[in-house]
Amino acid sequence: MFNTIAGTIRGLAADMVEKAKSGHPGMPIGTAELAAVIYSETLKHDPAAPDWPDRDRFVLSAGHGSALLYALLHLTGYDMPMDELKRFRQFGAKTAGHPEYGAAPGIETTTGPLGQGLANAVGMALAERMLAARFNRPGHEIVDHYTYVLAGDGCLMEGVTAEASSLAGHLGLGKLIVFYDDNQISIEGSTNLAFTENVAERYAGYGWHIQRIDGHNPNQVLQAVNKAKTLTTKPSLIIAKTVIAKGTPLAGSHKTHGAPLGKENIAAMKEKLGLPADEFHVPEEVSQHFAGKQLEWTKQRALWEEKFRAWAEEYPDLQQEWERVTKNELPADLETALPDFENSPAATRNSGGEILNALATRLPELVGGSADLAPSTKTYLNEAGDVEAGDFSGRNLHFGVREHAMGAVLNGISLHGGFRAYGSTFLVFSDYMRPPIRLAALMNRPVIFVFTHDSFYVGEDGPTHQPVEHVEALRVIPGLHTMRPADTRETAGAWMAALKRTDGPTALVLTRQKLPLLPDSSVEKVTRGGYILREAEGENPDVIIFSSGSEVSLAMAAADLLAGSGKKTRVVSVPCRELLLNQEPDYVRSILGENTPRVAIEAGVGNGWYRLVGAGGLVISVEKFGESGPAEELAAHFGFTPEAVAEKIKKHCQWNT
Ligand SMILES: Cc1ncc(C[n+]2csc(CCOP(=O)(O)OP(=O)(O)O)c2C)c(N)n1
Ligand SMILES: [Mg+2]
């Protein structure tokens, strides 16, 4: 039967790519037996209930092989009609060029950027263990599933999988099972061109269990999975030797990686495999096979539902908590957990840490960590324990110095469900994790990225550690909310907004240096993205200053100086420019004024601020790399003193006072 299913997959994948006139047929055709075994025998899933929380997760890390996943979803009865296979890669289809989370049930994560999927899967497998530690009780294993990955040479070449796999080995994620499609081909040709390391030894070094199989032999695939499942403390790498596009006249050629095979080659393949020449053919016996499987899957899930009911009956409080966290709901009175705001200067990284800790006492689902910088980013959850191999009950994750994997693992935890996840590092290193930030936004996952040490005010560590372009670079990611709060109250507002958000990620940008508590700052108004912090007398300003984070207090001080010259200033705090620009036009207009000169101040590149101040506005920014030296000296050097700012404004407005 496996060979018939594999043949069907081959036919469907070849036809999909041929009809679309684009796509990647080689990998789906070369992994058809692997896929047939996984989706028919191995996976615990129920296509009729794709959100079943205890389903096994399957991640196609080699996302270019999307035709494989779509064929599998169709054959096994997910909501993936044949018409969608025929619309492969067309606008609006469920069958996008690369698998997109949310486009169809059964797609567990968006893949295509190589390596991300495997790293997401590490997060999913970790989430499974953490959820089990919280909700399972003796005799009630309601969380007990595996995470499977199909990864290719490209995934294993990417650094993110090295980081994530090292972490998975360290944590002993025994229920993570990765198939490596070892076809020794990537786009440019043989992997001998650039990838000749011993992957098995490398992964053994990470603490993984290694098996080698013939990927075209279904029995070997089955046996390897069964063996992998017996290993409870080691992730499994099953190295499956395969031939790309096996069964076609082009088998083994890199030309099959990313281009249609051509009608003749497809016809030859079908003839060789004993398939009818018809396009998009699914043999009756394959349909019947999966209809029979559906009966088994339904039974399997019913057993779980029974188990769940018994557990819920015995532990009603736990069940209530389960319902809340799996739906991503916050406790109604969360705000009341916020600490009192002391009227003394504080770095927003420090207030952020206190706020996080206070909120965390009410949010057991909030878990997170840092890429080895928690003492600096202040994101450690006190007395919440560490997540470690063999004990997943803690809430603090130690990602090690692995920013890229941290981002991808956070996405995986979020995708798995049951948790709110955050991760922290220095803002300047956000570049090391930009791909998963982008994917969190693309997938609408409410992951929270905490970035501290947010400008040249970092001081002595110098230009390598001083972000210049980073805040703006985050703001341009569609769907990401980049929040740069100006004081403790706004930091609380930013954390609350990030937690209340369920449809996308947030970056919290915090300072290393102390900032004063601003008299009229607000927790609630942060959600508007920007608000008038200090209004000019008579609401009739001579100038309006927009700024964010540490520059808001600078704007206030400059406004005081301007007042000394008889000029009235409106100061607008803009903790989240994207949110402000999305408010109703009346609100935005009420802040922008009509013909009043506008100024923006931010200790970073200034391009984006012209959206608020207009082409004729003044932007006081930093357009070059930082310098090594004490922060106050650097502030003077970059013109970030109240005097320098006031002077620039006067000059800009041509006030000869
Ligand atoms: C991060 C990233 N870099 C580059 C690409 C472009 N790309 C897509 S597939 C591929 C080669 C992948 O080789 P392999 O995983 O062995 O796939 P196979 O050719 O065996 O199907 C490349 C370079 C990508 N999708 N993601
Ligand atoms: Mg390959």
Side-chain angles (χ1 to χ4, degrees):
M1 193 64 207
F2 292 128
N3 287 331
T4 314
I5 299 170
T8 309
I9 292 170
R10 288 191 161 95
L12 289 176
D15 289 343
M16 285 165 77
V17 175
E18 199 63 26
K19 185 156 197 299
K21 299 195 186 72
S22 83
H24 303 76
M27 183 267 177
I29 292 174
T31 55
E33 285 86 5
L34 267 176
V37 173
I38 297 171
Y39 265 75
S40 174
E41 300 307 305
T42 308
L43 266 193
K44 176 176 83 172
H45 68 151
D46 181 357
D51 295 332
W52 176 17
D54 200 39
R55 70 190 181 280
D56 288 343
R57 307 305 197 263
F58 174 80
V59 173
L60 183 70
S61 192
H64 57 279
S66 57
L68 176 70
L69 183 57
Y70 304 146
L72 291 165
L73 295 180
H74 172 73
L75 293 175
T76 51
Y78 283 85
D79 181 12
M80 180 59 78
M82 182 58 96
D83 279 352
E84 291 291 327
L85 301 196
K86 293 180 178 167
R87 295 210 305 135
F88 182 50
R89 295 187 145 232
Q90 303 311 303
F91 181 65
K94 292 175 193 284
T95 46
H98 293 85
E100 288 180 31
Y101 177 72
I107 301 175
E108 300 282 5
T109 178
T110 295
T111 52
L114 294 171
Q116 294 292 330
L118 201 166
N120 291 160
V122 172
M124 293 176 187
L126 177 57
E128 191 269 349
R129 285 295 77 202
M130 294 200 297
L131 209 59
R134 281 150 181 75
F135 290 100
N136 286 355
R137 289 294 178 270
H140 297 270
E141 306 265 301
I142 59 154
V143 183
D144 182 15
H145 54 267
Y146 290 87
T147 304
Y148 295 95
V149 178
L150 180 48
D153 300 300
C155 292
L156 293 196
M157 285 188 235
E158 287 290 352
V160 66
T161 53
E163 293 181 13
S165 300
S166 165
L167 184 62
H170 167 79
L171 289 171
L173 298 178
K175 293 166 85 175
L176 175 63
I177 300 175
V178 176
F179 293 95
Y180 165 28
D181 173 29
D182 180 16
N183 63 14
Q184 290 193 290
I185 288 288
S186 62
I187 290 183
E188 293 183 0
S190 161
T191 48
N192 283 330
L193 290 170
F195 190 52
T196 48
E197 71 197 31
N198 188 325
V199 172
E201 281 182 14
R202 178 158 67 91
Y203 270 73
Y206 294 151
W208 287 51
H209 179 264
I210 315 296
Q211 299 180 71
R212 288 177 188 279
I213 60 165
D214 169 0
H216 299 299
N217 181 326
N219 283 333
Q220 288 190 22
V221 178
L222 258 182
Q223 276 169 16
V225 174
N226 288 338
K227 171 77 190 168
K229 283 185 167 179
T230 64
L231 305 161
T232 52
T233 58
K234 278 186 173 203
S236 277
L237 183 70
I238 300 175
I239 303 178
K241 195 106 215 119
T242 66
V243 177
I244 193 166
K246 184 179 161 78
T248 76
L250 296 174
S253 165
H254 67 101
K255 291 189 182 132
T256 67
H257 163 89
L261 298 170
K263 290 218 176 323
E264 280 177 20
N265 287 322
I266 295 177
M269 174 190 85
K270 287 184 177 172
E271 197 184 331
K272 186 172 164 194
L273 296 176
L275 294 167
D278 325 1
E279 283 179 10
F280 296 98
H281 178 73
V282 178
E284 187 53 33
E285 56 178 316
V286 172
S287 302
Q288 277 180 9
H289 170 81
F290 283 115
K293 280 284 159 190
Q294 180 60 57
L295 299 177
E296 286 175 31
W297 292 329
T298 305
K299 255 190 232 155
Q300 194 175 32
R301 191 171 61 86
L303 282 177
W304 181 84
E305 299 284 357
E306 225 168 82
K307 219 159 62 168
F308 187 84
R309 268 194 298 278
W311 166 84
E313 218 159 88
E314 203 155 323
Y315 305 98
D317 293 352
L318 267 187
Q319 190 222 353
Q320 266 195 356
E321 190 66 0
W322 167 278
E323 299 299 337
R324 189 179 68 75
V325 300
T326 50
K327 288 190 192 119
N328 248 346
E329 287 170 1
L330 297 179
D333 59 348
L334 184 61
E335 268 96 346
T336 61
L338 287 173
D340 293 333
F341 306 117
E342 284 170 34
N343 193 10
S344 53
T348 51
R349 65 166 168 157
N350 284 42
S351 10
E354 281 167 31
I355 290 157
L356 164 64
N357 265 283
L359 295 173
T361 59
R362 304 268 181 93
L363 297 175
E365 72 272 32
L366 186 59
V367 297
S370 173
D372 199 39
L373 281 172
S376 296
T377 57
K378 312 289 179 193
T379 50
Y380 193 80
L381 297 180
N382 303 320
E383 289 148 47
D386 292 348
V387 171
E388 50 193 78
D391 181 1
F392 296 89
S393 61
R395 296 169 63 183
N396 289 291
L397 296 162
H398 294 281
F399 289 102
V401 193
R402 301 184 184 101
E403 295 83 3
H404 197 172
M406 175 169 75
V409 167
L410 292 173
N411 288 352
I413 295 173
S414 173
L415 287 160
H416 180 278
F419 293 100
R420 291 301 304 269
Y422 68 86
S424 72
T425 183
F426 290 158
L427 177 61
V428 82
F429 302 133
S430 58
D431 284 342
Y432 273 55
M433 51 189 296
R434 193 170 175 82
I437 298 173
R438 180 173 195 270
L439 283 165
L442 184 57
M443 294 190 280
N444 300 112
R445 296 312 302 169
V447 175
I448 301 174
F449 303 101
V450 182
F451 297 121
T452 66
H453 297 59
D454 73 344
S455 69
F456 69 75
Y457 286 103
V458 166
E460 290 83 350
D461 277 338
T464 56
H465 284 54
Q466 294 169 6
V468 177
E469 70 279 30
H470 299 76
V471 179
E472 203 57 44
L474 290 172
R475 287 189 182 122
V476 298
I477 297 180
L480 175 69
H481 288 175
T482 302
M483 301 203 141
R484 188 164 182 254
D487 70 354
T488 303
R489 258 192 296 264
E490 283 195 5
T491 305
W495 259 111
M496 286 301 302
L499 288 168
K500 282 184 179 166
R501 190 168 191 212
T502 54
D503 63 351
T506 303
L508 300 178
V509 176
L510 306 174
T511 66
R512 191 193 91 119
Q513 80 275 22
K514 289 185 176 175
L515 304 178
L517 187 72
L518 297 162
D520 292 312
S521 62
S522 160
V523 175
E524 292 76 25
K525 288 181 187 165
V526 168
T527 54
R528 294 217 132 191
Y531 61 99
I532 298 175
L533 184 66
R534 163 186 170 141
E535 182 54 301
E537 228 174 276
E539 293 180 26
N540 196 9
D542 296 307
V543 64
I544 305 175
I545 308 182
F546 301 87
S547 56
S548 81
S550 48
E551 286 68 68
V552 178
S553 44
L554 175 62
M556 295 288 271
D560 286 342
L561 291 181
L562 291 174
S565 309
K567 296 295 179 187
K568 293 179 291 181
T569 307
R570 171 186 296 169
V571 176
V572 179
S573 178
V574 187
C576 183
R577 206 174 59 213
E578 309 86 286
L579 272 177
L580 173 58
L581 288 165
N582 271 334
Q583 298 299 305
E584 62 274 25
D586 279 353
Y587 180 74
V588 180
R589 262 196 297 274
S590 74
I591 284 179
L592 291 185
E594 300 250 324
N595 296 315
T596 318
R598 296 181 205 143
V599 177
I601 314 177
E602 191 169 72
V605 296
N607 325 32
W609 287 100
Y610 287 99
R611 292 184 69 185
L612 282 177
V613 303
L618 170 67
V619 176
I620 300 174
S621 59
V622 177
E623 303 296 331
K624 53 190 173 185
F625 291 120
E627 300 277 353
S628 173
E632 311 80 66
E633 284 179 42
L634 296 184
H637 171 76
F638 287 114
F640 278 65
T641 61
E643 294 75 18
V645 168
E647 273 316 305
K648 271 192 192 149
I649 292 174
K650 283 187 203 169
K651 209 167 146 203
H652 174 77
C653 297
Q654 298 179 326
W655 294 333
N656 302 314
T657 51

